[in-house]
Amino acid sequence: MQRFRWHRGTCPSLGQRTFRSGLCPPHRCLSARRAATDGGGIIVNRKSGGMLRIALLAGVAGVCTISAAGDLVVPQRIPDSYAQAGSLIDIGQGRHLNLRCSGQGAQTVILEAGSHADTTTWFKVQPLIAAFAKVCSYDRAGYGFSDEGPMPRNLDADVSDLHDLIGRAGISTPVVMVGHSLGSNIVRRYAQMHANDVSGLVLIDPPAQDMAAFAPAWSKDEEAMNARRFDFIRQCLAGAEKHQLASPPAELQQCMGAPHPLASDKVNAAIAAYKYKPAFWRTLLSELQDNAVVFSKPVSPAETLGQLPLIVLAASDAQADAPAEVRRALEAATDKTQTRIASTSSRGERQMVARSSHDMQLDQPEAIARAVAKVLKKPGD
């Protein structure tokens, strides 16, 4: 099987490097060092060593701060509740999407995961936000417990499904949307198409776009690598169609990878079960093919979000493991992309988050919660 070179983070279980749009499960990019030092099911203040009480902006309507409510224990392992579906919402045409909601509040916060991620990616962030707002995560079509959707799986398809989900689930609008990585592109598109339904955006480390302008030779090479990656996925798809992935032959061993290090056997069995299915691999192939198109282009000069509250959270260490010959180009492309996105709103801002990889939802969930609280805050509060 083809081994791929680095783009964003490593994937030890597959013995390969990953790309902007990823191939290995997002949890593989979590720093083992950070996972070990957080420890004990609590958030540790890395400066003081004590339990972190997040002072989420006082003045959010009807909400006390987490500090005032007491110490909030955030799980450091994925709860076993993720081994089952939350609520399966009928979005029409015989299709259901898995929705997990918690907390209470006048407004709802919607969490949109990155490429080929399911709701488990939010296991640290969701309880933090649930302390002061209603918050919902969901599995996109073809992932987790959600049914497969019509092809192609592009931004417009994802926006259409999300719009149907919000309506069928009876979620009041406007909502605040939080998007990680590819999810940032999805919620940006949603806000443009359904402006009246969105009251604010928090974008978690949006990936670099238009890399060819910064590293043309590297970008051309990645196009060739993409073709080999898609062939790899097609092999996994063929194996899934033959029901081979539960006990894969040697040539398909890398399709599944190692169990999630932060999950129990029960949760890992549920994750594996949906990846045994052809629907996962068809969805993955289509999504990554569209990603190659989306990320090859710069942020459109026509993109505008008016006066929408917008926070772009930039990960300080997203490129830390990149080879020196491409790191500066990656950082420059990311800076330009994220700065341009922040400028699409007159109320946009970009914040650098220290000690965070691209998977900020795992490394620095409290920074995301603070940003959500700020976006929820009404002018004059």
Side-chain angles (χ1 to χ4, degrees), residues 138-203:
Y138 78 105
D139 295 328
R140 284 197 299 276
Y143 299 143
F145 294 95
S146 291
D147 293 331
E148 187 176 12
M151 298 295 165
R153 299 313 304 170
N154 53 26
L155 296 183
D156 288 342
D158 292 332
V159 167
S160 177
D161 277 0
L162 181 54
H163 187 257
D164 290 342
L165 176 65
I166 289 171
R168 293 295 186 102
I171 295 173
S172 298
T173 57
V175 298
V176 169
M177 292 190 164
V178 179
H180 171 239
S181 195
L182 172 65
S184 68
N185 297 78
I186 295 171
V187 299
R188 283 161 51 202
R189 178 70 62 87
Y190 194 102
Q192 293 172 75
M193 296 179 68
H194 305 285
N196 292 335
D197 293 343
V198 180
S199 62
L201 294 178
V202 175
L203 308 180

Side-chain angles (χ1 to χ4, degrees), residues 315-332:
S316 63
D317 301 333
Q319 320 297 346
D321 295 330
E325 63 270 21
V326 298
R327 185 182 304 126
R328 288 185 180 179
L330 286 167
E331 290 174 343

Side-chain angles (χ1 to χ4, degrees), residues 28-266:
R28 304 298 180 209
C29 301
L30 172 64
S31 163
R33 175 179 56 80
R34 291 190 176 105
T37 56
D38 280 348
I42 60 175
I43 297 178
V44 175
N45 186 319
R46 295 181 175 89
K47 292 184 178 179
S48 68
M51 182 175 284
L52 176 64
R53 295 168 176 245
I54 303 174
L56 291 168
L57 304 170
V60 176
V63 174
C64 60
T65 66
I66 292 179
S67 292
D71 294 323
L72 178 64
V73 177
V74 176
Q76 295 301 299
R77 292 183 60 81
I78 299 172
D80 278 354
S81 58
Y82 283 90
Q84 295 86 34
S87 298
L88 293 176
I89 306 299
D90 183 347
I91 64 167
Q93 300 181 331
R95 296 172 55 218
H96 296 78
L97 296 184
N98 179 43
L99 182 69
R100 301 183 191 274
C101 295
S102 52
Q104 296 180 341
Q107 277 193 291
T108 300
V109 178
I110 301 292
L111 304 177
E112 183 70 57
S115 183
H116 59 280
D118 57 33
T119 54
T120 59
T121 197
W122 300 112
F123 81 96
K124 290 185 179 183
V125 171
Q126 186 151 351
L128 280 173
I129 298 175
F132 60 90
K134 180 178 178 181
V135 55
C136 299
S137 57
Y138 78 105
D139 295 328
R140 284 197 299 276
Y143 299 143
F145 294 95
S146 291
D147 293 331
E148 187 176 12
M151 298 295 165
R153 299 313 304 170
N154 53 26
L155 296 183
D156 288 342
D158 292 332
V159 167
S160 177
D161 277 0
L162 181 54
H163 187 257
D164 290 342
L165 176 65
I166 289 171
R168 293 295 186 102
I171 295 173
S172 298
T173 57
V175 298
V176 169
M177 292 190 164
V178 179
H180 171 239
S181 195
L182 172 65
S184 68
N185 297 78
I186 295 171
V187 299
R188 283 161 51 202
R189 178 70 62 87
Y190 194 102
Q192 293 172 75
M193 296 179 68
H194 305 285
N196 292 335
D197 293 343
V198 180
S199 62
L201 294 178
V202 175
L203 308 180
I204 305 168
D205 207 38
Q209 297 187 208
D210 191 27
M211 269 298 299
F214 295 84
W218 186 89
S219 296
K220 186 175 181 179
D221 182 45
E222 183 165 291
E223 290 179 8
M225 299 297 288
N226 268 342
R228 287 192 281 273
R229 179 174 13 145
F230 298 154
D231 285 343
F232 167 79
I233 296 172
R234 291 187 185 98
Q235 292 179 55
C236 296
L237 171 59
E241 291 173 337
K242 296 174 184 177
H243 309 287
Q244 293 180 316
L245 296 189
S247 298
E251 65 271 18
L252 298 179
Q253 288 285 339
Q254 290 187 334
C255 293
M256 297 302 298
H260 196 308
L262 300 181
S264 66
D265 290 344
K266 187 176 182 180

Side-chain angles (χ1 to χ4, degrees), residues 211-364:
M211 269 298 299
F214 295 84
W218 186 89
S219 296
K220 186 175 181 179
D221 182 45
E222 183 165 291
E223 290 179 8
M225 299 297 288
N226 268 342
R228 287 192 281 273
R229 179 174 13 145
F230 298 154
D231 285 343
F232 167 79
I233 296 172
R234 291 187 185 98
Q235 292 179 55
C236 296
L237 171 59
E241 291 173 337
K242 296 174 184 177
H243 309 287
Q244 293 180 316
L245 296 189
S247 298
E251 65 271 18
L252 298 179
Q253 288 285 339
Q254 290 187 334
C255 293
M256 297 302 298
H260 196 308
L262 300 181
S264 66
D265 290 344
K266 187 176 182 180
V267 173
N268 274 317
I271 293 172
Y274 81 77
K275 292 182 179 178
Y276 293 153
K277 299 176 181 179
F280 169 78
W281 297 99
R282 282 193 293 264
T283 302
L284 176 63
L285 179 60
S286 182
E287 180 174 272
L288 295 187
Q289 287 173 331
D290 188 65
N291 284 3
V293 176
V294 169
F295 292 114
S296 69
K297 302 174 182 177
V299 178
S300 171
E303 182 173 338
T304 178
L305 295 171
Q307 298 180 338
L308 188 71
L310 166 65
I311 297 177
V312 177
L313 297 177
S316 63
D317 301 333
Q319 320 297 346
D321 295 330
E325 63 270 21
V326 298
R327 185 182 304 126
R328 288 185 180 179
L330 286 167
E331 290 174 343
T334 301
D335 288 348
K336 182 174 181 179
T337 297
Q338 294 180 353
T339 300
R340 171 70 186 98
I341 291 171
S343 73
T344 60
S345 170
S346 61
R347 298 177 65 186
E349 60 180 288
R350 181 177 183 236
Q351 301 177 2
M352 185 63 67
V353 178
R355 291 179 54 84
S356 179
S357 72
H358 181 61
D359 287 321
M360 192 183 300
Q361 74 279 12
L362 302 177
D363 296 341
Q364 294 287 2

